Amino acid sequence: MAIPETQALYNEAVRLEKSGKLKEAKETYQKIIAEDTSFHLAYQNLGAIAAKGGNHSEAIEFFLRAIKLSPDYKNYYNVGVSFYRLKEYEKAIQFLKQSLHLDKRFVLGHLLLAQIYQILEIDEKTEIYLTNVIKIDPNHKSALGGLAMYYYERNRYPESLRMLERYLLLYPGNSQLKIIQSEVLAKQGNYKASANMLVEMAKTDAGFTNFNQTLANAWQEEDEISKKSLERIQGTAKKKLKEFQTKLELSRESPEEFTPPEPQEALDLSLLYLFNGNPEKAMQYLVYAQKMKENTDPTGSS
């Protein structure tokens, strides 16, 4: 097959692929490699089609053929993604690192490595790769959110707050991270700012009253680190809330043994109810917390 003819056939395959005719596109790419086994772009695009269809083992084979003919950081990344989808994390890491060896500023490579190290619970490397993304792109949405939640879960509240403020300044519509910001403020002793923030959200933010649905819908696939962190927090909230409700039930039998919650505990309960989709109870405990704080601190200072 002459080179101009190969190129014309490749252009037709790309057109078919872009128009969604993946079966026809795949057949056309296969015609190309049947005649010219060195046409690496055909292998690359066959890999992409296989990956789109969830056939990651097949995708890996095509991407590796493309790499053998023409090493490219994106194809090393593509192999890494397919191994990630297959949950073969060590192999994914190997290819992702090779991708970054070829292009140190390839953001998607750093971000996926951070996700994998989070799954493997290797904290130090999770932080390193998220921080790498911020160094390359200081306003990267997924990395800012990921670092905010990474620091929050490890009680590194000043660092978490710094990332939350940057995130919400650039992307102000995220209800879940606003809630986390309010709790971080409370954890740092800025009780009044935390309470005021939740009160304002209750008035104006739909996410405040529908936390579960917005958690499911608000995050893109590349925001997996933030989403998984919020899911863990919500799971912990459910457990703690169940413990408190058990304590409340027992208090009805022995009211003299029941100790009312302290202001900070009441605020925590408010957030627990909020995470579990009960804004009415959340506001009740928030108001209670505010009143208790005023009684113990007449000046209203934080």
Side-chain angles (χ1 to χ4, degrees), residues 230-244 268-269 271-276:
L230 284 160
E231 287 173 349
R232 281 195 297 274
I233 292 166
Q234 192 175 26
T236 301
K238 287 180 179 179
K239 182 180 177 181
K240 287 184 177 179
L241 192 56
K242 187 174 181 179
E243 290 172 356
F244 175 74
D268 288 343
L269 285 167
L271 291 165
L272 294 182
Y273 276 112
L274 180 58
F275 288 154
N276 285 281

Side-chain angles (χ1 to χ4, degrees), residues 180-236:
I180 296 299
Q181 185 184 27
S182 73
E183 184 173 6
V184 171
L185 287 167
K187 296 288 187 185
Q188 288 192 292
N190 197 343
Y191 181 91
K192 187 177 291 184
S194 172
N196 290 341
M197 190 173 182
L198 287 181
V199 169
E200 186 61 29
M201 284 185 68
K203 294 176 182 176
T204 62
D205 201 316
F208 184 90
T209 58
N210 205 357
F211 185 88
N212 293 336
Q213 183 178 336
T214 52
L215 176 57
N217 298 340
W219 298 94
Q220 301 298 318
E221 185 176 357
E222 61 269 22
D223 296 318
E224 196 67 14
I225 291 178
S226 302
K227 184 178 178 181
K228 291 296 182 186
S229 294
L230 284 160
E231 287 173 349
R232 281 195 297 274
I233 292 166
Q234 192 175 26
T236 301

Side-chain angles (χ1 to χ4, degrees), residues 37-255:
T37 57
S38 66
F39 201 93
H40 74 277
L41 293 175
Y43 290 110
Q44 176 179 301
N45 291 4
L46 280 167
I49 290 172
K52 285 177 185 175
N55 300 317
H56 291 290
S57 295
E58 183 182 40
I60 288 167
E61 291 181 17
F62 284 126
F63 288 135
L64 289 176
R65 290 290 297 274
I67 288 170
K68 188 174 181 180
L69 293 165
S70 179
D72 178 85
Y73 73 95
K74 288 185 180 178
N75 279 327
Y76 277 106
Y77 171 76
N78 290 334
V79 175
V81 170
S82 286
F83 275 125
Y84 168 72
R85 297 297 180 201
L86 294 170
K87 297 186 178 180
E88 296 187 41
Y89 298 126
E90 294 302 329
K91 290 181 181 178
I93 289 169
Q94 175 188 342
F95 281 93
L96 291 169
K97 286 186 174 180
Q98 185 61 40
S99 173
L100 293 179
H101 177 73
L102 295 173
D103 185 353
K104 291 180 173 60
R105 295 182 61 80
F106 185 47
V107 164
L108 292 178
H110 289 284
L111 199 59
L112 187 52
L113 278 167
Q115 290 183 22
I116 292 171
Y117 282 123
Q118 184 196 44
I119 291 167
L120 297 176
E121 298 182 347
I122 303 176
D123 288 356
E124 181 183 351
K125 290 189 177 181
T126 302
E127 182 179 8
I128 285 171
Y129 283 102
L130 284 174
T131 303
N132 286 346
V133 176
I134 297 298
K135 288 177 181 176
I136 297 165
D137 179 1
N139 297 334
H140 195 282
K141 181 180 180 183
S142 299
L144 287 172
L147 273 173
M149 297 308 302
Y150 173 89
Y151 292 137
Y152 171 83
E153 288 196 280
R154 287 151 187 83
N155 301 328
R156 293 166 61 177
Y157 297 125
E159 292 158 295
S160 179
L161 185 60
R162 189 161 59 249
M163 290 298 160
L164 286 164
E165 288 172 346
R166 285 173 63 180
Y167 183 104
L168 292 169
L169 182 65
L170 293 164
Y171 315 104
N174 191 303
S175 304
Q176 292 78 38
L177 291 192
K178 287 181 185 176
I179 293 168
I180 296 299
Q181 185 184 27
S182 73
E183 184 173 6
V184 171
L185 287 167
K187 296 288 187 185
Q188 288 192 292
N190 197 343
Y191 181 91
K192 187 177 291 184
S194 172
N196 290 341
M197 190 173 182
L198 287 181
V199 169
E200 186 61 29
M201 284 185 68
K203 294 176 182 176
T204 62
D205 201 316
F208 184 90
T209 58
N210 205 357
F211 185 88
N212 293 336
Q213 183 178 336
T214 52
L215 176 57
N217 298 340
W219 298 94
Q220 301 298 318
E221 185 176 357
E222 61 269 22
D223 296 318
E224 196 67 14
I225 291 178
S226 302
K227 184 178 178 181
K228 291 296 182 186
S229 294
L230 284 160
E231 287 173 349
R232 281 195 297 274
I233 292 166
Q234 192 175 26
T236 301
K238 287 180 179 179
K239 182 180 177 181
K240 287 184 177 179
L241 192 56
K242 187 174 181 179
E243 290 172 356
F244 175 74
Q245 289 170 338
T246 300
K247 178 182 175 183
L248 204 57
E249 287 294 323
L250 291 172
S251 74
R252 291 171 183 168
E253 299 175 8
S254 305

